[in-house]
Amino acid sequence: GAGAKADQPAGRGRISIIIPTLNESAVIGDTFKALQAAIAPDADSEIIVVDGGSGDTTIEIVRRHGVRLMASERGRARQMNAGARAASGEILLFLHADTRLPAKFDATIRTLLVDPAVVAGAFRLAIDAPGIGLRCIERLANLRSSWRGMPYGDQALFFPASVFRTVGGFPELPIMEDFVLIDALRRRGRVALAPSSVQTSSRRWQKLGVVRTTLINQAMIVGYRLGVSPQRLARWYREGRG
């Protein structure tokens, strides 16, 4: 692609920001505004939105912002892998449509990936609403990420493109694709946690409440560890979220 030379270390070169979307018209405009504010004017980067068949105005909003748009078969893992295949960057950053990156995120990523022992990274989690329950969620997510090296997709995961391709990208599962990929990468090297935080939407927790959402998420992890198929877990997840 149009990125930097192949012999550059992972901490340099272009950053490809890949955003999977499906009916995200409520949030995607704010995500682009935050991206434009956070990215350095001289940054070597590209943004790729991979849409899984939105029926709302997501596609119109993406086009209005002049961002590269691709269509893909529905499914977050499939969409992210399609974006990765089309990306020209030496660094891949996967951003959920309802998550905003911190200022100077590109410099932060490059600094972390200069270390050859680092195979992946993510940002700390911050949730954009008040409440003690949400503060607990943030704290637990950040402890899990720093102690166990297990960040999740809502923390804006990033990888050297070469590492991402070596492991075959995200497993194309209906659920927990981020968990399974990071779990595999932890065996290859360090998963770094950035000092700065992404701001993610509270909508997921507010819909069902913090306790129920957390219990459902933990049940998915336990089920996966016990060998329940991702297809069955995805069905349970949908039923649990009603």
Side-chain angles (χ1 to χ4, degrees):
K5 294 184 193 73
D7 59 356
Q8 283 204 330
R12 303 215 180 87
R14 168 171 293 187
I15 298 178
S16 298
I17 303 158
I18 297 159
I19 309 174
T21 56
L22 182 65
N23 299 327
E24 297 290 2
S25 59
V27 293
I28 193 73
D30 288 341
T31 301
F32 288 145
K33 284 194 198 94
L35 252 180
Q36 280 150 2
I39 205 156
D42 58 347
D44 184 9
S45 63
E46 65 177 348
I47 302 169
I48 303 172
V49 171
V50 189
D51 191 75
S54 291
D56 62 0
T57 57
T58 297
I59 287 168
E60 291 156 46
I61 296 166
V62 174
R63 287 201 176 118
R64 206 157 58 228
H65 281 84
V67 173
R68 183 176 175 189
L69 176 68
M70 292 173 57
S72 150
E73 215 179 319
R74 185 172 297 192
R76 187 181 266 159
R78 276 197 201 104
Q79 290 168 237
M80 291 190 293
N81 286 340
R85 283 193 294 273
S88 64
E90 284 75 24
I91 298 167
L92 304 178
L93 168 61
F94 295 92
L95 183 67
H96 287 187
D98 64 354
T99 300
R100 297 185 292 286
L101 289 165
K104 301 192 176 74
F105 69 87
D106 43 338
T108 302
I109 289 171
R110 291 180 210 283
T111 302
L112 289 171
L113 292 184
V114 162
D115 181 349
V118 172
V119 291
F123 291 87
R124 292 177 174 277
L125 182 69
I127 302 166
D128 67 355
I132 195 161
L134 294 175
R135 299 297 78 78
C136 290
I137 296 281
E138 290 170 352
R139 178 160 286 192
L140 289 169
N142 294 330
L143 283 174
R144 182 192 67 230
S145 304
S146 55
W147 286 357
R148 295 189 50 233
M150 277 303 291
Y152 296 164
D154 54 8
Q155 291 170 252
L157 302 175
F158 52 85
F159 314 86
S162 56
V163 171
F164 184 80
R165 294 197 176 104
T166 300
V167 296
F170 285 99
E172 297 198 347
L173 304 172
I175 195 169
M176 297 186 70
E177 71 289 333
D178 50 352
F179 181 92
V180 176
L181 178 60
I182 292 292
D183 206 28
L185 281 171
R186 282 195 312 167
R187 299 184 202 115
R188 290 172 169 256
R190 193 160 78 80
V191 178
L193 186 64
S196 48
S197 301
V198 289
Q199 283 272 340
T200 197
S201 167
S202 61
R203 61 184 180 171
R204 196 154 57 91
W205 290 280
Q206 288 180 331
K207 186 179 172 213
L208 295 180
V210 169
V211 173
R212 187 169 167 195
T213 304
T214 303
L215 288 173
I216 290 169
N217 291 344
Q218 292 309 307
M220 294 301 107
I221 293 166
V222 172
Y224 176 76
R225 292 276 190 226
L226 292 174
V228 179
S229 78
Q231 288 70 22
R232 178 172 287 185
L233 288 173
R235 196 170 67 241
W236 290 351
Y237 185 78
R238 285 193 300 273
E239 287 164 4
R241 294 185 66 81

